[in-house]
């Protein structure tokens, strides 16, 4: 059986969401496909190599197998992963591979799990591998669509986005840096989080491209203020601004991806994504 699940793009609210503020997140039309075939042994194949149940190389897939085996004991499986989603750059590749793996195991071995069960197991896997996590990625990869968090209210997002990938970075490291800055200047940083919160709430109701672009620019300035931009991001965004475009970090920052509203002009080095309605699905 093959299952696929979409990646995600955080449109507004990263970092602030860690401190209880709102975020707006969309599933995107880049998917991860996982093929699972019954076998006497475990074999995992991906761009990261071909392994057995090697947690160091394939942590999310191996942990998904372990959790699935608490539901149903299986002797082995051949697992093949293929993904459109760049790894480690904030577009939800880990969440998508986890959800697709659980769904494909469930389909191949008749695990009897529904979507809610798949989401819960993928969320547990994310916690097992990363420690504390918001659960946004497995939620989006399971259910698709665009949402306001934490209340999980669906939002309309009739726009396309250009994305520029500036390379991988560590989410945990960026979250730690923000925590340190907040320790030093709690009054200042909390107010920035409140402003980001207001941006997410406004964005969840928006239908105008111009207004959305204004929020993109404001949110980026606030992300810069909390120290998660870097000179390369600043330079790239400044170049885009010279061409009349607006862009911001998506995800943890310090590298990773930046995005802006796609209005028919694709900046050099970018690719275009659009919100995806469909979450995890069985392909065959
Ligand atoms: O870059 P990503 O997809 O790992 O997103 C991180 C988002 C943060 O708000 C920075 C952390 C979180 O857990 O929400």
């Amino acid at each position: 059986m093959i299952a696929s699940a979409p990646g995600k793009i955080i449109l507004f609210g990263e970092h602030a969401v860690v401190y209880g503020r709102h975020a707006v997140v969309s599933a995107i039309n880049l998917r991860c496909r996982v093929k699972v075939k019954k076998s006497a042994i475990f074999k995992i194949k991906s761009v990261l190599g071909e392994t057995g149940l090697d947690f160091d190389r394939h942590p999310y897939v191996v942990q998904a197998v372990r959790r699935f085996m608490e539901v149903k004991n299986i002797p082995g499986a051949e697992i093949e992963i293929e993904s459109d989603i760049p790894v480690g750059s904030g577009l939800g590749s880990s969440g998508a591979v986890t959800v697709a793996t659980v769904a494909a195991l469930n389909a191949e071995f008749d695990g009897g799990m529904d979507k809610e069960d798949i989401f819960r197991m993928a969320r547990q896997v994310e916690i097992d591998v990363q420690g504390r996590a918001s659960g946004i990625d497995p939620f989006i990869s399971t259910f698709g669509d665009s949402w306001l968090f934490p209340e999980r209210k669906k939002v309309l997002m009739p726009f396309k986005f250009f994305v520029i990938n500036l390379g991988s970075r560590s989410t945990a490291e960026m979250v730690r840096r923000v925590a340190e800055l907040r320790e030093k200047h709690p009054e200042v940083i909390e107010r920035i989080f409140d402003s980001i919160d207001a941006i997410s709430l406004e964005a969840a109701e928006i239908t105008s491209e111009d207004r959305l672009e204004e929020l993109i620019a404001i949110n980026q300035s606030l992300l810069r203020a909390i120290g998660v931009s870097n000179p390369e991001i600043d330079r790239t965004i400044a170049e885009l601004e010279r061409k009349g475009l607006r862009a911001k970090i998506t995800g943890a920052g310090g590298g990773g991806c930046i995005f802006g509203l796609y209005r028919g002009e694709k900046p050099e080095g970018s690719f275009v994504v659009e919100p995806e309605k469909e979450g995890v699905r069985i392909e065959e």
Side-chain angles (χ1 to χ4, degrees), residues 8 10 13-15 17-18 89-92 133-134 136-137 169 171 175 250-253:
K8 65 101 194 2
I10 300 179
E14 48 274 275
H15 290 290
V17 75
V18 175
S89 44
L91 294 182
S134 65
I136 287 176
D137 285 27
R169 78 288 176 275
T171 296
V175 169
T250 176

Side-chain angles (χ1 to χ4, degrees), residues 200-211:
S200 294
L201 289 170
E202 191 175 325
E205 304 291 334
I206 240 168
T207 49
S208 138
E209 293 185 331
D210 290 346
R211 287 180 71 96

Side-chain angles (χ1 to χ4, degrees), residues 140-211:
I140 290 278
S141 290
T142 304
F143 296 106
D145 233 316
S146 302
W147 303 79
L148 178 70
F149 288 94
E151 49 267 72
R152 294 183 186 172
K153 184 175 150 219
K154 264 193 202 186
V155 301
L156 283 179
M157 199 45 72
F159 306 110
K160 292 184 182 179
F161 305 99
F162 68 82
V163 177
I164 300 175
N165 187 355
L166 298 173
S168 68
R169 78 288 176 275
S170 155
T171 296
E173 159 73 13
M174 300 314 294
V175 169
R176 193 184 53 72
R177 276 204 229 166
V178 173
E180 272 174 24
L181 197 67
R182 178 173 169 270
E183 288 270 294
K184 280 199 220 154
H185 311 280
E187 293 302 319
V188 177
I189 302 299
E190 284 295 327
R191 277 173 183 75
I192 294 177
F193 289 157
D194 286 339
S195 294
I196 295 177
D197 187 57
I199 289 173
S200 294
L201 289 170
E202 191 175 325
E205 304 291 334
I206 240 168
T207 49
S208 138
E209 293 185 331
D210 290 346
R211 287 180 71 96

Side-chain angles (χ1 to χ4, degrees), residues 1 7 17 37 39 43 49 63 67 70 75 98 107 109 111 120 136 144 158 162 174 183 203 225 230 253 256 258 272:
M1 287 286 187
V17 75
K37 223 172 87 189
S39 169
K43 215 190 269 177
Q63 194 57 27
R67 285 286 175 190
E70 292 172 6
T98 307
F109 293 101
R120 288 223 188 94
I136 287 176
F162 68 82
M174 300 314 294
E183 288 270 294
N230 68 19
I258 60 170
V272 175

